[in-house]
């Protein structure tokens, strides 16, 4: 083609929009596989808002397959349940609502599940991000780069990114890891497409951090230092240790029949009195926990992509990953883990693509577009299932599932199979499907 630029000899260059946990992990995985990466972050510095995040054993294994340094970074800041030298790998659900008069200060243990060795490691999001930043090569991340739009050029087989500050950049492909409000998704699917935007789930969450010594004084050592889910009607409370057992992460999910009124932000200020009022009819343990909260805290609107899921994750040299593709409610605690699975899939595919390009089995443009086609095929069903199941499991926790109600045995069966589908995911099977799927597309 006249005027076309031969890009075959250049190394593969990938632009990632979004410098959160998934964007950094994906970037590290691509760099390890010899790919040039630039991460464009709209903020002035890398930071993750939020409180605690937890990872299952399977998610940690994915991290190790992407780049072993990621696991080392996690372990620098992760906190296990109970004794750090003898972790408690069981997750527990208790009746937080009903007072059991034989011992009114204790909650009834409804069910517990073994999550695997070191199967529940919690950390503060910002601390994990800080640990990841230390292993990202210098100059990979560019700050104050808010994406305005992008164009795909067939003449030179590249993507041009245009930022709101008037600057531009080019790359062989663009991956949107820019979260639930993804600008890349809006451009990819169309700004008049409902699937370009998340919707309110009619749940919000009070979130806060409680000093561990205060939690122990009120709850006792075991309950404070170990994950517990307190379930009840139309709400549920979760807590687990973070920051080396120095803090207890608190989150209380509440049903909200109204629309979210803070249109400009998903986070709004709240007061401890609001939480106490919400749970005033609950059992004494939950009421004790709410009394430990600071006077001022946050409440977070829970948005997701359930109502209008993305019909596809890719188009040409553009792809979505993590929350940008499949934002889910946090009730499974698996959104970040599923995003890490995405990153492993993409890193594996780009390794195959580089080989195909170097051996001249195909052009760079086709090799990359087949990466994204294969990714969409491999990851869409599971990631969309998580979006659906995260809504469904919340109904179980809050006794609003019409088939389960507050029947402990029926609720446990739902929790068990859904949790195991996440925790026991066949990573090796995914990698085999990924590699075979790419090979078939190259040959085809």
């Amino acid at each position: 083609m006249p005027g076309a630029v031969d890009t075959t000899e250049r190394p593969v260059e990938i632009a990632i929009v979004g410098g959160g946990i998934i964007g950094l992990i994906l970037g590290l995985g691509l760099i390890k596989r010899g790919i040039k990466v630039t991460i464009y972050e709209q903020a002035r510095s890398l930071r993750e808002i939020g409180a605690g995040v937890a990872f299952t054993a399977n998610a940690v294994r994915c991290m190790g397959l992407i780049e072993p340094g990621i696991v080392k970074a996690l372990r620098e800041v992760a906190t296990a349940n109970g004794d750090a030298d003898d972790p408690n790998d069981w997750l527990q659900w208790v009746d937080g609502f009903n007072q059991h008069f034989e011992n009114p200060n204790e909650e009834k243990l409804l069910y517990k599940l073994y999550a695997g060795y070191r199967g529940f490691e919690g950390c503060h999001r910002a601390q994990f991000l800080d640990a990841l930043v230390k292993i990202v090569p210098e100059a990979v991340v560019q700050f104050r780069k808010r994406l305005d739009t992008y164009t795909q050029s067939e003449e030179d087989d590249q993507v041009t990114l245009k930022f709101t500050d008037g600057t531009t950049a080019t790359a062989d492909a663009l991956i949107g890891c820019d979260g639930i409000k993804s600008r890349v998704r809006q451009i990819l699917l169309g700004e008049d497409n409902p699937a370009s935007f998340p919707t309110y789930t009619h749940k919000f969450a009070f979130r806060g951090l409680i000093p561990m010594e205060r939690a122990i004084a009120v709850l006792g050592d075991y309950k404070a230092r170990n994950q517990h889910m307190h379930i009840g009607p139309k709400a549920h409370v979760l807590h687990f240790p973070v920051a080396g057992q120095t803090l207890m992460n608190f989150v209380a999910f509440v049903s909200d029949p109204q629309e979210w009124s803070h249109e400009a932000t998903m986070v709004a200020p709240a007061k401890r009195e609001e939480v106490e009022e919400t749970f005033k009819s609950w059992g004494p343990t939950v009421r004790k926990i709410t009394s430990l909260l600071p006077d001022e805290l946050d409440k977070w609107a829970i948005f997701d992509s359930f109502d209008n899921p993305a019909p596809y994750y890719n188009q040409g040299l553009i792809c979505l990953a993590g929350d940008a593709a499949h934002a889910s409610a946090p009730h499974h605690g698996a959104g970040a883990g599923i995003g890490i699975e995405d990153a492993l899939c993409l890193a594996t595919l780009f390794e195959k693509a580089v080989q195909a390009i170097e051996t001249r089995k195909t052009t760079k443009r086709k090799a990359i577009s087949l990466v994204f086609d294969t990714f969409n095929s491999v990851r869409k069903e599971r990631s969309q299932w998580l979006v659906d199941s995260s809504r469904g499991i919340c109904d179980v926790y809050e006794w609003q599932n019409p088939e389960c109600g507050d029947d402990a045995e029926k609720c446990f069966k739902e929790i068990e199979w859904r949790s195991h589908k996440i925790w026991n995911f066949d990573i090796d099977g995914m990698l085999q499907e990924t590699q075979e799927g790419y090979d078939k597309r190259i040959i085809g």
Side-chain angles (χ1 to χ4, degrees):
M1 179 182 297
V5 177
D6 182 7
T7 62
T8 306
E9 300 303 323
R10 288 192 294 100
V12 175
E13 299 181 12
I14 304 298
I16 296 175
V17 172
I21 288 174
I22 303 305
L24 287 185
I25 286 176
L26 174 59
L28 287 165
L30 296 178
I31 291 167
K32 181 176 175 60
R33 288 155 179 83
I35 294 167
K36 183 178 179 181
V37 173
T38 304
I39 300 173
Y40 298 98
E41 168 56 41
Q42 65 182 5
R44 295 183 178 185
S45 62
L46 290 177
R47 82 280 185 271
E48 275 274 352
I49 57 175
V53 62
F55 298 99
T56 64
N58 237 16
V60 176
R61 181 172 175 237
C62 285
M63 293 179 192
L65 292 171
I66 295 168
E67 161 60 83
I70 298 169
V71 178
K72 183 179 179 182
L74 174 67
R75 293 275 157 77
E76 289 178 0
V77 298
T79 302
N81 270 322
D83 184 350
D85 296 324
D86 184 22
N88 168 19
D89 296 321
W90 292 82
L91 303 189
Q92 302 173 87
W93 289 260
V94 295
D95 185 344
F97 182 73
N98 293 298
Q99 291 196 11
H100 301 278
F101 293 102
E102 63 274 13
N103 190 344
N105 290 318
E106 286 296 325
E107 297 170 296
K108 181 180 180 181
L109 176 64
L110 298 174
Y111 18 81
K112 64 179 185 177
L113 280 177
Y114 180 66
Y117 176 67
R118 297 185 71 99
F120 186 89
E121 296 188 77
C123 62
H124 194 287
R125 288 176 180 269
Q127 291 180 344
F128 184 33
L129 193 73
D130 288 344
L132 288 174
V133 168
K134 294 176 183 176
I135 60 174
V136 175
E138 189 175 355
V140 165
V141 184
Q142 293 194 18
F143 298 104
R144 300 185 183 184
K145 293 297 180 183
R146 181 187 294 270
L147 182 67
D148 180 26
T149 189
Y150 65 75
T151 55
Q152 299 188 63
S153 171
E154 295 188 6
E155 290 188 357
D156 58 7
D157 292 336
Q158 284 196 301
V159 178
T160 299
L161 293 77
K162 298 180 181 179
F163 301 99
T164 57
D165 64 0
T167 62
T168 63
T170 60
D172 294 314
L174 164 61
I175 304 175
C177 294
D178 46 342
I180 192 168
K181 293 183 176 181
S182 172
R183 176 61 181 156
V184 179
R185 185 177 71 246
Q186 292 171 14
I187 303 168
L188 180 70
L189 301 181
E191 295 187 62
D192 58 349
N193 187 340
S196 294
F197 304 93
T199 53
Y200 187 42
T201 67
H202 293 281
K203 305 280 182 184
F204 64 80
F206 295 109
R207 304 186 74 160
L209 294 166
I210 299 170
M212 186 59 74
E213 64 271 15
R214 293 192 65 210
I216 291 172
V218 172
L219 301 176
D221 191 80
Y222 180 82
K223 182 152 282 187
R225 292 188 183 277
N226 288 272
Q227 177 272 353
H228 285 80
M229 177 86 76
H230 310 258
I231 65 175
K234 296 185 179 180
H236 64 285
V237 174
L238 170 67
H239 66 75
F240 56 86
V242 296
Q245 293 277 357
T246 63
L247 295 171
M248 188 176 82
N249 182 66
F250 168 92
V251 55
F253 296 97
V254 180
S255 297
D256 178 16
Q258 307 301 320
E259 292 299 328
W260 183 248
S261 59
H262 307 273
E263 293 184 4
T265 178
M266 294 181 181
V267 184
K271 296 183 179 297
R272 186 188 67 249
E273 288 82 359
E274 293 180 57
V275 193
E276 292 176 325
E277 177 65 21
T278 300
F279 292 96
K280 66 182 181 181
S281 63
W282 282 52
T285 301
V286 170
R287 297 200 306 269
K288 287 178 182 178
I289 295 171
T290 62
S291 72
L292 296 171
L293 293 169
D295 293 340
E296 308 284 339
L297 63 157
D298 294 326
K299 60 181 178 183
W300 294 61
I302 308 300
F303 282 71
D304 68 9
S305 58
F306 175 86
D307 293 328
N308 299 293
Y312 48 86
Y313 294 167
N314 70 298
Q315 185 180 74
L317 301 175
I318 314 298
C319 189
L320 306 172
D323 280 354
H326 43 75
S328 68
H331 307 302
H332 269 305
I338 294 291
I340 291 165
E341 292 175 11
D342 286 354
L344 175 59
C345 183
L346 283 167
T348 301
L349 283 164
F350 269 103
E351 187 169 11
K352 299 281 288 184
V354 169
Q355 294 171 359
I357 294 165
E358 290 178 347
T359 56
R360 297 186 180 274
K361 290 182 179 179
T362 187
T363 64
K364 183 182 289 187
R365 183 185 185 90
K366 183 178 180 182
I368 293 173
S369 65
L370 292 182
V371 163
F372 294 157
D373 286 345
T374 308
F375 172 79
N376 184 75
S377 175
V378 171
R379 295 298 303 161
K380 190 168 183 293
E381 181 179 352
R382 175 168 168 82
S383 57
Q384 289 298 329
W385 173 85
L386 179 73
V387 176
D388 295 348
S389 188
S390 294
R391 286 272 192 113
I393 202 65
C394 183
D395 287 342
V396 174
Y397 293 159
E398 300 184 356
W399 299 343
Q400 296 185 87
N401 180 299
E403 296 183 5
C404 299
D406 61 356
D407 185 303
E409 183 177 352
K410 291 180 179 179
C411 288
F412 176 67
K413 288 180 179 178
E414 283 292 314
I415 292 169
E416 183 178 41
W417 81 261
R418 291 172 187 268
S419 298
H420 284 169
K421 183 164 181 172
I422 297 167
W423 303 346
N424 300 334
F425 178 54
D426 183 2
I427 298 171
D428 295 328
M430 180 192 76
L431 293 176
Q432 181 176 349
E433 180 187 1
T434 296
Q435 293 168 348
E436 290 177 353
Y438 190 77
D439 288 342
K440 288 178 182 178
R441 286 172 172 81
I442 285 289
I443 294 171

